[in-house]
Each structure stands twice: as structure tokens, then as C-alpha cells.
Amino acid sequence: MIALKPVTLPSGRTQLIRRLVPKACPLPDVHSDELRLQIFTHRSFYARPTHIFEDMPDDPSPDNEMLEHLGDSVLSLVVTGLMRDIFPNLRVGPSTKIRALVVGNPTLASISVQYRLPERLRMHPAQAITLRASTNIQADLFESYVGGLYLDRGLEVVKSWLNPLFGPYLREAYRTHLQQQCKMVEWVYADSAGEGTMTTPIWVVRAMVEGECLGRGRGSTKKAAKNEAAKEGLSKMGINVSSQESLV
Amino acid sequence: MIALKPVTLPSGRTQLIRRLVPKACPLPDVHSDELRLQIFTHRSFYARPTHIFEDMPDDPSPDNEMLEHLGDSVLSLVVTGLMRDIFPNLRVGPSTKIRALVVGNPTLASISVQYRLPERLRMHPAQAITLRASTNIQADLFESYVGGLYLDRGLEVVKSWLNPLFGPYLREAYRTHLQQQCKMVEWVYADSAGEGTMTTPIWVVRAMVEGECLGRGRGSTKKAAKNEAAKEGLSKMGINVSSQESLV
């Protein structure tokens, strides 16, 4: 199993890091020379003014902006489809948050660097050092590669590459998102109303989250009672817990 | 040619309306009964609480939220790809604005109603009238159909349906966007420094937009001079103008 860990960046954004991506999921070739050149051409290469509406037909500047834009859509589709396969019962709300973690620029930039894509970027020489080191440019380049590959070889080739690549990221993002949902639980023991005896007590407990009682449990040990309350609480939050697992 | 016109809604959003969509681009069938049922099932049908993280595996509520989410990605990809085919030189900035016009809820809702999709929606009976009349629900239903069709029959079938459907919308949105970019032009005539004569004058004009000179022109008529200035100005704004057209 490949190690994967979430890192909180100084910006507060989360980066998921998986080592050995290129070894586990080799970069598929883009066959068209023209597309490959375009994938690795930054806007600055042509030194055109900004705020252009449309290039002249006889004077195009084929940089990677449109491929990145297309790749962004391809990536969204592939990752959304993959999430549906892996977590068929996940609701849309958490699913968009999990997807945002996985296709966010910090994560894509880390993948881009592992494939050494930034080293191949053609750009205005004066900006080379700044651009190659930029997280956004690194992430854009990955999206541009996805867009170019889609045009070159179609959606199925992109999926065969990205599904095994993003599966582990999605599973980690799922865990991270679940943990981020965690809030402090306060355990309140109540009177068991004389049900137990000194030697076989009955513990009755409520799981309180932010003043609200999310679950109640009772059992012959504190742990058993808390487990029951926790399961009821999680179930109320829509999180599935198998009856075998111990939670607290 | 099918009539298509942009309408500004009370909300200030733009709706593109094209008549006879179902006749020109028939709705492809979804073969799977299960998917078809899910496409037309609104969340309210199962009357589940909101803020659920994940359905229990033994108790799923297969409504159309996830299909709509997937369909949204499919639609983005198809429309972005189509724009690249139709306007190969369009830059990303205007292209995202044009796409937003076309895949915005008002436009999708109008298409959804023309296909009579809302009539087939299964939902909580108490909400039926409100939901069927809601622009957002109508648009969601179209996206859900796109998502279901993608899972049922793949991307190529979706593209064969949506490319001819959205082509005219994109062309209209392109025109609308160009018009929205229009600003007042002030024509300033300058001294032609004695070049012309009383009978054959030389007109020299500057096209001023918001105090900035965008183009200069000269000609034997005011119209010819303004045309030259306008072409220079549009060219500076990145808009391509063929040399045959008269602009002013």
C-alpha cells in the first residue's frame, strides 16, 4: 500500500501527498506532436497582451490555457464518476467537498511535480523561475496534460490513467473529511434508576455535541454504553457504522 | 434556421431561448429502467432528513442528486469541447463567460421544459406544484438526464445529442457576449493638417472609449475614416474584423 498523508499548508488549504505516483501510474503518451507542444506552452511564451477576446485566425497563439480549461472539465467528470464507483451511497454535499480536496491545486501541483511536468514548460524566459515554482502553474500544467490527452486519445485512456491514480487520494480525502467533521463529544452519565446492583451496574450515558444529545446508550460497562450512544449519534449524522466495531 | 433570442430575466440573468429543440434534437432513450427511474426521482420522494453524509448500504435512497452532479460535469466537458471546435481561437476568459450563459439554469430550464422532463418528476406530493415550476429543479432535471444517459450509453451518445443542441446556443451567446462588451464610442475629428482640399477633404478621426484612444483612421469620407478607426480599435481589443466589412 502506498503511503498517503494529508498536509495542512500555511495557506490553510489541504494537500494530499502520495509518493511514487509516476511508478504506480505511468504518464500516458500524447501522440500528437502539436498537442504535446501546446500542453507545455505557457501563455507568456507568445508574450501577447492580456484581455484578448479571440486570436486572429491567421495569427493564433496556441498556448495551454484552453487545454487546461478543457482538462479541468475532464478531471471533474472522471473524479466524480470514480467517486460514484467507490462510494455509491455518498451524498452530493460531502462528495463535492471530498472532490475539492482531491482536485485542488495543492494536490494537483504535487502530482504534476512528481511527473516532472514543470521541467518541460515553455515560457517567457524572464518568468521561468517564478512560473515553474508556482503551485497554480504546476496544477494548471497537470490539467493541461489531462485536456491534451483527452483530445489525443479519448476519455477511456484518460480514465484508465486517472482512476488508479486518484482512487487512493479519494479514500484519503474521505477519511480526512470525516475527521474534519469531528466535534468534541461530552459524555453525560445519568441515573440508571436503580436497575443495576453494586456488583453488576447499568451505565446510562448520553453523547452530547454542542449541547445537543445525539445518542443514548446503556450497558454493563461504561465502554459498552458509550459505544451504543456513539453509534446512535453517528447513525443520526448519516454515517454508517457496522455493529461489530468498537468506537470508544 | 431556428430562431434563437436572448431574454433578460427579472433576476438580471440571461436566458437563451431556442424553439423546437425536441424536434431538431430528439431526446435519446435511457435504456436502463433503474437509471431512468433514478433520473426522475427528486430527493423529496424518499422524505429523508437533510445533511446526511452517506446512505446506509442496506437502505439507499437513489434520487437524482448524484446524477445531476455527474451530469453537470458531463455538460461542462461537452460544451467546453464544442466551443473549442466552433471558436478555435477564443481565449479562456470570454469562453467561460459564454459557457456560463449557455449552461446557466435559466437556459437549461427552458430546454428541460421543452423536453417535458418536469412532467415525469417523482417527488413528495406536497411539494409537486412548487418543485415542477422551479427553474432550478427544471435545470437540475436536465443535468440529471445528461448524467444518467452518460452512465447508460457513454460520452459519445451524449455528444451526438448535445453538440447539435448547443451549437446554436453557443453562437448566440457569443454574439450576446460581444454586444455586452460594447461601450459608447466617441468620435473625435482632428485637423487633417491641410492635406485635403475643399472638394476632396481628408477626414482624420480617433475612436475614444472611456477617454482612451483605441483607434485612429483617415479617409476621404467620414464613414471611411471611422471604419478604419473602428477596425484598429476592435483589433486592439482582440476582436477579428475582416477587411471587407463596414462597421459604422
Side-chain angles (χ1 to χ4, degrees):
Chain A
M1 187 61 194
I2 296 150
L4 209 160
K5 54 173 181 170
V7 174
T8 303
L9 303 176
S11 62
R13 301 187 66 182
T14 303
Q15 181 180 35
L16 299 171
I17 298 181
R18 178 187 172 191
R19 296 283 165 218
L20 303 174
V21 163
K23 209 168 170 184
C25 312
L27 194 69
D29 285 332
V30 170
H31 297 150
S32 151
D33 292 337
E34 197 185 333
L35 275 172
R36 206 169 47 246
L37 198 64
Q38 190 174 355
I39 288 170
F40 290 105
T41 303
H42 184 259
R43 178 94 185 116
S44 65
F45 183 80
Y46 292 103
R48 295 285 174 98
T50 49
H51 301 301
I52 294 286
F53 182 81
E54 195 168 13
D55 281 341
M56 306 291 159
D58 56 350
D59 183 29
S61 56
D63 58 53
N64 65 12
E65 279 191 359
M66 189 47 92
L67 292 181
E68 176 224 322
H69 184 53
L70 185 67
D72 178 72
S73 297
V74 175
L75 195 59
S76 278
L77 174 58
V78 171
V79 170
T80 307
L82 182 59
M83 290 185 76
R84 193 178 166 277
D85 294 341
I86 304 182
F87 312 112
N89 299 303
L90 194 63
R91 302 297 316 173
V92 168
S95 133
T96 48
K97 283 176 187 148
I98 290 167
R99 187 178 73 178
L101 270 180
V102 168
V103 301
N105 276 358
T107 304
L108 297 188
S110 135
I111 298 174
S112 178
V113 169
Q114 289 188 65
Y115 281 122
R116 307 176 74 159
L117 302 182
E119 297 174 16
R120 300 162 69 181
L121 192 61
R122 307 192 308 155
M123 68 208 106
H124 195 281
Q127 295 174 265
I129 293 172
T130 324
L131 289 178
R132 280 216 182 87
S134 148
T135 302
N136 289 350
I137 300 287
Q138 291 165 353
D140 289 353
L141 195 48
F142 179 77
E143 290 180 329
S144 158
Y145 201 93
V146 171
L149 186 67
Y150 166 75
L151 289 178
D152 193 50
R153 300 177 63 186
L155 187 63
E156 288 312 310
V157 170
V158 176
K159 277 162 84 170
S160 328
W161 170 40
L162 295 185
N163 282 355
L165 172 54
F166 280 109
Y169 283 98
L170 282 175
R171 289 189 190 88
E172 182 55 38
Y174 176 88
R175 275 191 292 271
T176 305
H177 186 68
L178 261 185
Q179 279 161 14
Q180 285 175 350
Q181 289 220 319
C182 279
K183 293 167 184 160
M184 285 301 292
V185 179
E186 193 188 349
W187 302 101
V188 179
Y189 293 91
D191 193 345
S192 64
E195 287 176 70
T197 64
M198 207 61 160
T199 47
T200 56
I202 300 285
W203 295 97
V204 178
V205 70
R206 283 177 296 153
M208 305 293 292
V209 175
E210 292 170 354
E212 190 192 354
C213 171
L214 281 191
R216 286 157 201 279
R218 49 196 302 135
S220 56
T221 62
K222 278 192 176 181
K223 184 170 170 172
K226 281 164 79 177
N227 249 329
E228 203 181 299
K231 276 173 193 164
E232 191 183 305
L234 285 171
S235 160
K236 203 174 277 179
M237 289 165 71
I239 297 163
N240 184 33
V241 186
S242 81
S243 51
Q244 277 75 43
E245 277 174 89
S246 173
L247 292 165
V248 285
Chain B
M1 188 61 195
I2 296 149
L4 209 160
K5 54 174 181 168
V7 174
T8 303
L9 302 177
S11 62
R13 301 187 66 181
T14 303
Q15 181 180 35
L16 299 171
I17 297 181
R18 177 187 173 191
R19 297 281 165 219
L20 303 174
V21 163
K23 209 168 169 183
C25 312
L27 194 69
D29 285 332
V30 170
H31 297 149
S32 151
D33 292 336
E34 198 185 333
L35 274 172
R36 206 170 47 247
L37 198 64
Q38 190 174 355
I39 288 170
F40 289 105
T41 303
H42 184 260
R43 178 94 186 115
S44 65
F45 183 80
Y46 292 103
R48 294 285 174 98
T50 49
H51 301 301
I52 294 286
F53 183 82
E54 195 168 13
D55 281 342
M56 306 290 160
D58 56 350
D59 183 29
S61 56
D63 58 53
N64 65 11
E65 278 192 359
M66 189 47 92
L67 292 181
E68 176 224 322
H69 184 53
L70 185 67
D72 178 71
S73 297
V74 175
L75 194 59
S76 278
L77 174 59
V78 171
V79 170
T80 307
L82 182 60
M83 290 185 77
R84 193 178 166 277
D85 295 341
I86 303 182
F87 313 112
N89 299 304
L90 195 63
R91 302 297 317 173
V92 168
S95 133
T96 49
K97 283 175 188 149
I98 290 167
R99 187 177 73 177
L101 269 180
V102 168
V103 301
N105 276 358
T107 304
L108 297 188
S110 135
I111 298 175
S112 179
V113 169
Q114 288 189 66
Y115 281 122
R116 308 176 73 158
L117 302 182
E119 297 174 17
R120 299 162 70 181
L121 191 61
R122 307 192 308 155
M123 68 208 106
H124 195 281
Q127 295 174 264
I129 293 172
T130 324
L131 289 178
R132 279 215 182 87
S134 149
T135 302
N136 289 350
I137 300 287
Q138 290 165 353
D140 289 353
L141 195 47
F142 179 77
E143 291 181 329
S144 158
Y145 201 93
V146 171
L149 186 68
Y150 166 75
L151 289 178
D152 193 49
R153 300 177 63 187
L155 187 63
E156 288 312 309
V157 169
V158 176
K159 278 162 84 171
S160 330
W161 170 41
L162 295 186
N163 282 355
L165 171 54
F166 280 108
Y169 284 97
L170 282 175
R171 289 190 189 88
E172 182 55 38
Y174 176 88
R175 275 191 293 271
T176 305
H177 186 68
L178 261 186
Q179 279 162 15
Q180 284 175 350
Q181 290 220 320
C182 279
K183 293 167 185 161
M184 286 301 291
V185 179
E186 193 188 349
W187 302 101
V188 179
Y189 293 91
D191 192 346
S192 65
E195 286 176 70
T197 65
M198 207 62 159
T199 46
T200 56
I202 300 285
W203 295 98
V204 178
V205 70
R206 283 177 295 152
M208 306 292 292
V209 175
E210 292 170 354
E212 190 191 355
C213 171
L214 282 191
R216 286 158 200 278
R218 49 195 303 133
S220 56
T221 62
K222 279 193 177 181
K223 185 170 169 172
K226 282 164 79 177
N227 249 330
E228 203 181 298
K231 276 173 193 164
E232 190 183 305
L234 285 171
S235 160
K236 202 174 278 180
M237 289 164 71
I239 297 163
N240 184 33
V241 186
S242 82
S243 52
Q244 277 74 43
E245 277 173 272
S246 173
L247 292 165
V248 285

